[in-house]
Amino acid sequence: MAAKPRTLDTQKTSVAAKPRTLDARRLRRATARQARVGRAAGMVSPTLWKQHRLYRAVRLQHPQAARRLHHAGLGWRSSGHCANRHRHSCTSLASVRLGTLWGLVNLKRRSGCGVVVTGGTEVGHATGPHSHGKGYKIDIEHNKCVDRFIRNKRMGRVRGDGARLYYERRPQGYTVYANEPSHWDIMFL
């Protein structure tokens, strides 16, 4: 008779343990589902946010930056079919800031548009503390989707070269879009 209560206790323990396991699985699935929904909505996870704050000033070499763009689904095009930073006909990403690349990926996620980089850190751009050469600015090509998304931002003044400026303040930083005739000139601060 003593064996039966032990069996029942064991069964009760087993039954009690299964819901805990199922609850843990459900919790993991729900967390994963929320993460997928958050990424789709363009939200940044706390871990990525911390990385962004710590590492946004890190400079990348061209192959690293091009690989990150490709991995994020962004295009890259050079009119000179080259990546030499010292030739103005090339499109180079050498010494671009990680925060600038994150800004581009974030732009693609939030807009849902295709983004193609046409200018980076190569020579031939204006100089300054927040310039292409310093890794703060990048050029992307025009398309209807990107144009519509950026033109919904706060409109600003017209630059000396005739480019209309649009401004956006986000928790990750401040972004300035300049509508140049052949491309968008974007500065990520």
Side-chain angles (χ1 to χ4, degrees):
M1 275 179 102
K4 284 196 175 201
R6 285 185 193 160
T7 307
L8 289 175
D9 285 342
T10 306
Q11 287 175 350
K12 286 181 185 177
T13 306
S14 304
V15 171
K18 284 183 182 179
R20 286 184 189 155
T21 306
L22 290 176
D23 286 342
R25 286 181 190 162
R26 286 183 192 140
L27 180 62
R28 280 194 303 270
R29 286 181 190 153
T31 304
R33 192 171 35 254
Q34 286 174 343
R36 282 192 304 274
V37 169
R39 281 193 299 268
M43 294 173 10
V44 178
S45 73
T47 303
L48 286 178
W49 174 251
K50 183 177 180 183
Q51 288 177 353
H52 175 74
R53 301 299 289 174
L54 292 174
Y55 302 113
R56 66 181 173 193
V58 169
R59 309 289 177 151
L60 300 175
Q61 297 174 3
H62 179 82
Q64 293 172 316
R67 208 171 26 252
R68 287 174 188 262
L69 286 179
H70 177 73
H71 180 70
L74 282 83
W76 171 82
R77 185 174 49 82
S78 169
S79 59
H81 306 289
C82 53
N84 186 340
R85 185 175 185 180
H86 304 290
R87 292 182 54 199
H88 71 279
S89 62
C90 296
T91 299
S92 175
L93 299 171
S95 194
V96 70
R97 296 171 63 247
L98 187 56
T100 301
L101 290 185
W102 279 338
L104 273 178
V105 172
N106 199 12
L107 171 67
K108 180 188 182 299
R109 285 182 180 160
R110 290 183 301 120
S111 68
C113 303
V115 175
V116 177
V117 175
T118 59
T121 59
E122 65 278 355
V123 297
H125 296 285
T127 59
H130 296 109
S131 63
H132 283 272
K134 301 286 185 182
Y136 285 88
K137 292 177 101 177
I138 206 149
D139 296 339
I140 65 170
E141 68 182 21
H142 282 286
N143 68 45
K144 289 180 183 179
C145 183
V146 169
D147 293 350
R148 185 173 36 253
F149 180 78
I150 294 173
R151 287 186 179 131
N152 282 328
K153 306 301 173 209
R154 186 172 60 87
M155 190 184 322
R157 65 180 177 82
V158 175
R159 236 173 25 187
D161 63 355
R164 169 69 68 186
L165 298 179
Y166 296 85
Y167 301 96
E168 180 179 30
R169 181 172 293 283
R170 296 187 42 80
Q172 295 89 346
Y174 194 66
T175 307
V176 179
Y177 305 93
N179 187 5
E180 296 186 6
S182 62
H183 61 270
W184 285 100
D185 182 37
I186 307 173
M187 179 171 51
F188 297 97
L189 295 174

